[in-house]
Every structure is written in structure tokens, then in C-alpha cells.
């Protein structure tokens, strides 16, 4: 028998089927069995430039860009998200995709990349990879860097053989010394003193900017007037105050002012280091220049005796050759003095005055190594024994004569220092520099040392105290302190724990309220002290 549904049954079937179909398609989309419709897909590239006339995106070689599918929608919205991915459509290996959405330009050429839905291409873009070459690099600093603190910006113009990019080729900036010129992008700042080179590069093109950064000089600090004696050497030593403070100053230059012949000058000036030397009484003006600052100093030359204007550290050694005593003499070279006289007094012959026994002339090249002058003289033996002699040296130039050196003495051989005494102790008080300089005759025993003793009459002490021992030469310098002094001194020689007799006593006595150059009668040198 044939079944024929009635209208009620059909209606019931439809009512039941519709929910089933709706639920079924929902899960078919939800689990991806059915694929949704996609609308609004666009292939977007984060970098690169689209060139309309060739319908291509242009990328630089080795450049990496990010691909995006845009803000697309899919229908129905409850469906499983569609599988959207990116794919290179050829095998030229001009480009490749890594990490899903990063496009890398591998070599020059053209290719295509597509946005895919499963295996179907939704959108396609043509890609052109180029390697633009820099043809010209122009570098233009806005300001010059001269002083610490100066700043500048560098403007660059870069011409390339492929100039269709919106984003132009960029330059890099590098300083050879960031402690002198600091680089931040295309901005420069001078931060230290010295030389530095800033290199601007664009591919294989480069330009170099060379800078010599100086400290800005705020002030040249030095006394307006300087006084020196004839033959005295002094170096002008201005204090250069920089801004900022504490920087290495620029080179200092020195110049004698006034139109004078060299023979009319009161001083000689070494323009290399600012050393001045007094030649004759008078005054001169010296201009000191440091960068854009200058200071004029007046130098006055007086006829005072200067402690610097004397020969220093006269030493000797000797040997007997036949019936002659050969004496080797050596002393410190005095700047600018190339002519020396050797004075000798032979006590064994009863001589009461010194006389010149040798003149020594040198050249500047002769003293470059150790700054010493030397010579040899000969004296006759006395009955086969050493003579009793005293020697000193004086330097001279065309304009003045130096003070004498210390005196060295050679005496007949003495085996017992206790039978001798120190002779001719004298003292010179330099009130300007607050020092006292003592000299005495060498005792004539090899290896002997000296001790100097002092008594302070102002302190009420009745005895002498040791001031300095183990003095290896026959001279001594002492600093003076206080406004008043009344001191007595004597010297003894010693060797192997044996002492000579005492020298004569010298006295230093002065009061700040008195115009006293210091010294009693004992300060005067004995008759064999050298006098110019």
C-alpha cells in the first residue's frame, strides 16, 4: 500500500529539518569543513615603494619587509578563521618569505608574491628588487667646530642611480675620537681638546671632516712686571685660564715689542718657550699671545747679583803624570754661556791672588748630551807631592760675567783628617728668595763629608746643634723662615768616624723692621774667596 504524506506531515518535517540544518551548517563552518567567504583582502607591504607606472613594489637588495593581509572579513563570522598565507609565485629566488610574513629581497630582479586562501591566490603583487648605487655624496656642515662647546649639524645630499624611492638613501657618521668630537646622528659637538676626524659614509662614498679643537682662552694670568738680574734666566710661565676651566690651553707665543737692534735690547727672549735672560739694565715689553687673548708684560733688568747667574757643581779628579798633576774639571753648563775662564791660586808657591790659567770655549753642540762643560789643566808637583791649590770657574759673554763657581781645593796628601780644618766658610743671604747659601774650601781628602752646625742666639741656647750631616759637596743651601734671625754656623769635615777641626764661624742676623741684608763681619769671605 502506498504511503502518501499529508500536508501536516510535510509541515512537521520542515519545522524539524530547519533547526537541524542550521545547527549542522554552524558546526560545519565552525570546524572548517565548510569554508567561509572572504571579503576585503589586501596585500600590504610595510616598506618599499609602489611605482605606479610599472605597477610594481620596489625593494632594496637585502631589505626585509613585513607583509599584511589588511582588515579583511569572512562570512559567516562564526566560521573557522580562513587559512590566509603568503606565497612566492615563481622559483627565481629573487625574494623569499621567512617566518610567515617577512619578505626578504635576495637578489636584483622581478618576482611576484600573492596572498593565498588555502591553495587559491586572492591578491597578487609584482616585486622589483634593485640595488641603488650612490653616485655622489655632498656634505655641508652648518657651522665650523673650533672650540670646546661648539656644535654643528651636518646636511648631506646623496645622489643615487635609482632615485624613485620616497625614502632617500641615508648617510652614517663616525668620529675618530668621541672624547674630542661627539657624534649623535648628524649632530656634532666638540667636547675635548685635540684632533678628530668625522667620516660621513653612504655606501662606498665617504667624506671626511677634520677638526682641531682648541680650548677657548678666558684669561692670561701673569704679573704685569717681572724683574730679573743681569745674566739671570727666567721662564715666563703664564697661567692660561680656559673656558671651561681645566682644559689644555692652545700654544703660547712670545714676542719682543719695540723696534730695537739686538745689541740695544736689555733682555734676550727665546720665543720657543718664553725664557728671558737679563743682558743689561733697562726694561723691555714682551707680548704673550694665546689664541685670541694677549697680555703685555714689562721686564725690568737690574744690576743685582742673581743666584742663578753663577757656575754650579764644579767637580774635579786628578792623577800624577811624571812631575805634573793633571786635573780634570767638570761643571754645569750655564744657559747661553759658551766662554769660561778657569782661575787658580797656588798656595804652595805663596800666591795670594787667583789668576786665569785656562780659557775654555765651547759650541752648543758640545753640551747637548749631559749639559756639562769639562777641561783639563796641569800643575807642577811640589817636591814630588801634591800642591796646595784652589780652583774656581767663571763664565762670560759679550755683555756680562757670571758669578764664580764653588771653590775646589787640592792639598798635599793627608792621611789624618784630624790634623786639618775646614777653611774659608762664607754665606750669602738671598732675602728675595729667603735662602742662605754656604760655601767652603774642599778639605782635599777623597771621600770626606761635611756637617754644618748652628746656634740660635734668639732662643737662648748656649750650644751648637747639628743642622745637616753627610753633605757630599762643599756647599749648602738653607731655607730662612721667620721675620728675625740671629744664627751662628760652622762646618766640620769627617771620614771614617774622624772629624776635622772647625771652620771659621759665620753669622746670619736680620730683623724685618730693618733694612739689613744679613750678616756680621764673619760673613765676608776670606781672602781666597773668588771675586769677579
Amino acid at each position: 500500500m502506498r504511503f502518501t504524506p499529508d500536508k501536516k506531515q510535510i509541515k512537521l518535517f520542515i519545522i524539524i529539518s530547519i533547526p537541524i540544518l542550521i545547527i549542522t551548517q554552524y558546526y560545519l563552518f565552525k570546524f572548517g569543513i565548510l569554508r567561509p567567504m572572504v571579503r576585503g583582502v589586501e596585500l600590504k607591504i610595510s616598506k618599499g615603494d609602489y611605482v605606479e607606472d610599472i605597477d610594481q613594489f620596489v625593494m632594496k637588495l637585502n631589505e626585509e619587509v613585513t607583509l599584511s593581509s589588511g582588515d579583511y572579513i569572512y562570512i559567516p563570522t562564526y566560521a573557522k578563521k580562513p587559512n590566509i598565507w603568503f606565497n612566492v609565485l615563481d622559483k627565481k629566488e629573487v625574494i623569499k618569505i621567512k617566518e610567515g610574513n617577512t619578505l626578504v629581497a635576495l637578489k636584483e630582479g622581478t618576482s611576484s608574491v600573492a596572498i593565498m586562501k588555502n591553495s587559491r591566490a586572492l591578491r597578487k603583487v609584482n616585486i622589483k628588487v634593485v640595488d641603488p648605487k650612490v653616485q655622489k655624496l655632498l656634505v655641508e656642515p652648518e657651522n665650523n667646530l673650533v672650540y670646546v662647546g661648539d656644535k654643528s649639524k651636518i646636511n648631506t645630499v646623496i645622489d643615487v642611480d635609482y632615485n624613485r624611492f620616497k625614502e632617500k638613501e641615508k648617510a652614517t657618521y663616525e668620529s675618530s675620537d668621541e672624547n674630542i668630537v661627539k657624534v649623535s646622528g648628524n649632530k656634532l659637538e666638540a667636547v675635548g681638546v685635540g684632533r678628530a676626524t668625522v667620516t660621513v659614509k653612504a655606501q662606498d662614498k665617504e667624506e671626511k671632516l677634520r677638526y682641531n679643537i682648541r680650548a677657548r682662552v678666558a684669561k692670561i694670568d701673569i704679573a704685569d712686571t717681572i724683574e730679573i738680574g743681569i745674566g739671570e734666566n727666567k721662564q715666563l710661565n703664564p697661567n692660561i685660564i680656559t673656558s671651561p676651566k681645566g682644559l689644555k690651553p692652545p700654544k703660547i707665543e712670545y714676542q719682543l715689542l719695540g723696534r730695537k737692534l739686538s745689541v740695544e735690547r736689555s733682555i734676550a727672549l727665546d720665543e720657543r718657550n718664553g725664557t728671558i735672560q737679563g743682558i743689561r739694565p733697562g726694561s723691555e715689553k714682551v707680548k704673550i699671545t694665546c689664541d685670541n687673548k694677549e697680555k703685555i708684560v714689562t721686564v725690568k733688568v737690574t744690576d743685582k747679583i742673581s743666584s742663578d747667574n753663577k757656575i754650579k757643581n764644579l767637580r774635579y779628579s786628578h792623577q800624577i803624570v811624571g812631575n805634573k798633576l793633571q786635573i780634570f774639571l767638570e761643571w754645569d753648563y750655564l744657559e747661553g754661556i759658551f766662554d769660561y775662564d778657569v782661575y787658580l791660586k797656588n798656595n804652595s808657591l805663596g800666591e795670594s791672588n787667583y789668576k786665569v790659567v785656562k780659557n775654555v770655549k765651547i759650541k752648543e753642540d758640545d753640551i747637548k748630551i749631559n749639559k756639562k762643560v769639562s777641561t783639563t789643566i796641569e800643575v807642577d808637583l811640589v817636591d814630588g807631592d801634591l800642591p796646595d791649590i784652589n780652583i774656581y770657574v767663571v763664565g762670560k759673554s759679550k755683555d756680562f760675567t757670571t758669578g764664580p763657581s764653588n771653590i775646589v781645593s787640592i792639598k798635599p796628601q793627608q792621611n789624618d783628617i784630624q790634623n786639618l780644618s775646614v777653611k774659608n766658610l762664607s754665606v750669602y743671604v738671598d732675602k728675595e728668595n729667603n735662602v742662605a747659601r754656604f760655601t767652603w774650601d774642599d778639605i782635599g781628602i777623597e771621600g770626606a763629608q761635611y756637617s754644618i752646625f748652628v746656634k740660635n742666639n734668639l732662643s737662648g741656647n748656649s750650644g751648637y746643634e747639628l743642622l745637616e750631616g753627610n753633605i757630599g759637596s762643599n756647599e749648602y743651601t738653607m731655607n730662612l723662615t721667620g721675620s728675625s734671625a740671629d744664627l751662628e754656623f760652622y762646618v766640620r769635615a769627617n771620614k771614617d768616624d774622624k772629624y776635622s777641626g772647625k771652620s771659621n764661624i759665620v753669622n746670619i742676623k736680620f730683623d724685618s723692621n730693618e733694612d739689613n741684608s744679613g750678616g756680621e763681619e764673619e760673613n765676608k769671605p776670606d781672602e781666597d774667596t773668588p771675586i769677579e
Side-chain angles (χ1 to χ4, degrees):
M1 182 174 120
R2 185 176 176 184
F3 174 74
T4 302
D6 58 18
K7 291 182 179 181
K8 290 182 178 181
Q9 289 177 327
I10 294 172
K11 187 176 182 180
L12 179 62
F13 176 77
I14 292 172
I15 292 172
I16 294 173
S17 298
I18 289 174
I20 293 174
L21 289 173
I22 292 173
I23 293 172
T24 300
Q25 65 86 27
Y26 172 83
Y27 282 102
L28 289 175
F29 280 111
K30 185 73 173 176
F31 291 105
I33 297 173
L34 294 179
R35 296 173 182 173
M37 236 182 354
V38 178
R39 292 287 184 269
V41 171
E42 293 183 26
L43 181 53
K44 294 183 177 181
I45 301 177
S46 61
K47 294 182 181 179
D49 287 293
Y50 176 72
V51 181
E52 186 173 357
D53 57 359
I54 60 174
D55 191 24
Q56 290 178 329
F57 272 92
V58 182
M59 294 176 59
K60 294 180 182 179
L61 182 66
N62 299 320
E63 186 177 28
E64 294 187 5
V65 299
T66 301
L67 302 176
S68 171
S69 57
D71 298 325
Y72 65 88
I73 61 173
Y74 52 91
I75 302 171
T77 58
Y78 52 81
K80 183 180 180 180
K81 188 175 181 179
N83 180 24
I84 302 298
W85 57 288
F86 303 97
N87 186 32
V88 177
L89 299 181
D90 56 52
K91 296 182 179 180
K92 298 178 182 178
E93 296 184 349
V94 172
I95 56 175
K96 75 172 183 177
I97 296 174
K98 69 175 186 178
E99 299 174 359
N101 64 339
T102 300
L103 183 64
V104 182
L106 299 178
K107 64 181 181 181
E108 293 183 84
T110 58
S111 184
S112 299
V113 64
I115 184 169
M116 311 289 292
K117 177 188 175 186
N118 296 321
S119 59
R120 184 167 66 91
L122 301 179
R123 291 286 187 274
K124 184 185 80 167
V125 172
N126 296 320
I127 304 292
K128 180 179 180 66
V129 178
V130 297
D131 184 17
K133 302 295 183 182
V134 174
Q135 300 293 313
K136 183 188 296 184
L137 171 63
L138 298 178
V139 177
E140 297 179 358
E142 290 185 353
N143 304 300
N144 192 18
L145 300 185
V146 179
Y147 299 106
V148 174
D150 288 353
K151 297 180 180 180
S152 179
K153 182 180 178 182
I154 299 178
N155 298 316
T156 57
V157 177
I158 303 173
D159 292 338
V160 296
D161 58 359
Y162 189 91
N163 57 3
R164 304 181 75 166
F165 284 99
K166 294 176 184 177
E167 183 180 344
K168 301 302 181 182
E169 186 78 23
K170 292 182 178 180
T172 60
Y173 308 85
E174 182 180 357
S175 173
S176 63
D177 193 335
E178 287 278 341
N179 294 320
I180 297 175
V181 176
K182 186 177 180 181
V183 176
S184 179
N186 67 332
K187 296 179 180 179
L188 310 181
E189 181 179 4
V191 296
V193 174
R195 297 179 182 273
T197 300
V198 175
T199 303
V200 184
K201 289 184 178 180
Q203 293 186 13
D204 61 343
K205 303 293 182 181
E206 70 176 31
E207 294 289 334
K208 294 184 180 293
L209 303 174
R210 292 177 174 83
Y211 295 102
N212 182 14
I213 307 301
R214 307 193 300 270
R216 184 175 277 105
V217 177
K219 182 181 179 182
I220 300 176
D221 189 13
I222 190 173
D224 294 331
T225 303
I226 295 174
E227 187 175 295
I228 62 173
I230 294 177
E232 181 179 358
N233 291 284
K234 182 176 288 187
Q235 184 172 12
L236 299 176
N237 190 23
N239 179 28
I240 307 299
I241 300 174
T242 62
S243 177
K245 293 182 178 180
L247 298 175
K248 180 182 177 183
K251 181 182 178 181
I252 304 173
E253 297 178 351
Y254 304 89
Q255 179 186 356
L256 268 172
L257 298 181
R259 295 183 178 180
K260 294 182 182 180
L261 298 175
S262 58
V263 295
E264 298 175 326
R265 293 286 187 185
S266 296
I267 65 170
L269 170 66
D270 188 339
E271 296 182 351
R272 297 171 299 178
N273 55 22
T275 298
I276 55 176
Q277 183 183 55
I279 298 176
R280 58 178 60 86
S283 66
E284 299 284 353
K285 292 187 181 297
V286 178
K287 183 170 74 171
I288 303 174
T289 305
C290 187
D291 199 48
N292 57 352
K293 296 288 182 180
E294 63 180 42
K295 176 76 177 283
I296 296 177
V297 175
T298 300
V299 180
K300 293 183 178 180
V301 183
T302 67
D303 55 2
K304 71 176 183 177
I305 298 175
S306 169
S307 60
D308 292 330
N309 181 21
K310 63 177 289 188
I311 306 302
K312 297 180 180 179
N313 298 320
L314 175 61
R315 297 287 184 268
Y316 76 95
S317 62
H318 61 76
Q319 64 177 354
I320 297 175
V321 180
N323 63 345
K324 298 285 186 179
L325 177 66
Q326 286 188 351
I327 306 169
F328 175 77
L329 299 172
E330 184 181 72
W331 59 91
D332 291 351
Y333 163 71
L334 184 59
E335 188 71 31
I337 303 300
F338 302 99
D339 194 352
Y340 300 84
D341 284 336
V342 179
Y343 286 78
L344 182 144
K345 184 179 73 170
N346 195 328
N347 301 306
S348 298
L349 301 179
E351 295 177 352
S352 59
N353 296 314
Y354 285 86
K355 61 182 180 181
V356 177
V357 294
K358 190 169 186 178
N359 176 254
V360 180
K361 288 183 170 63
I362 63 170
K363 296 179 180 179
E364 189 171 4
D365 292 340
D366 298 336
I367 46 83
K368 284 186 175 179
I369 297 177
N370 58 4
K371 297 291 184 179
K372 296 287 186 181
V373 183
S374 61
T375 190
T376 301
I377 62 174
E378 288 187 348
V379 180
D380 292 332
L381 299 179
V382 178
D383 297 328
D385 201 356
L386 297 179
D388 182 359
I389 57 177
N390 303 116
I391 303 171
Y392 70 87
V393 176
V394 171
K396 57 186 181 179
S397 70
K398 184 173 70 172
D399 300 299
F400 67 92
T401 301
T402 73
S405 70
N406 55 297
I407 298 174
V408 295
S409 301
I410 300 175
K411 298 182 179 299
Q413 187 66 42
Q414 294 283 347
N415 295 323
D416 192 352
I417 198 172
Q418 293 173 311
N419 295 329
L420 302 174
S421 61
V422 176
K423 301 292 184 180
N424 299 323
L425 173 63
S426 63
V427 61
Y428 169 73
V429 177
D430 184 348
K431 293 294 294 295
E432 182 178 341
N433 296 308
N434 292 321
V435 295
R437 296 180 175 88
F438 299 85
T439 60
W440 56 89
D441 288 354
D442 186 87
I443 201 164
I445 294 181
E446 188 175 354
Q449 295 183 318
Y450 301 90
S451 300
I452 186 167
F453 297 83
V454 61
K455 182 172 73 170
N456 189 344
N457 294 322
L458 296 180
S459 67
N461 295 335
S462 59
Y464 286 85
E465 298 178 350
L466 177 65
L467 174 63
E468 186 77 28
N470 299 323
I471 302 171
S473 64
N474 56 336
E475 59 182 356
Y476 177 73
T477 300
M478 181 185 86
N479 292 322
L480 297 175
T481 58
S483 59
S484 301
D486 186 359
L487 306 170
E488 295 180 7
F489 302 86
Y490 71 82
V491 174
R492 298 179 72 181
N494 65 279
K495 182 179 181 183
D496 300 331
D497 296 327
K498 293 181 180 181
Y499 284 84
S500 72
K502 299 177 182 178
S503 70
N504 56 298
I505 294 174
V506 295
N507 177 254
I508 296 177
K509 186 175 182 179
F510 62 85
D511 192 306
S512 61
N513 296 320
E514 300 178 4
D515 184 14
N516 191 339
S517 60
E520 299 293 330
E521 185 68 24
E522 293 97 329
N523 290 60
K524 294 180 180 180
D526 291 342
E527 63 176 5
D528 60 352
T529 300
I531 303 296
E532 287 188 39

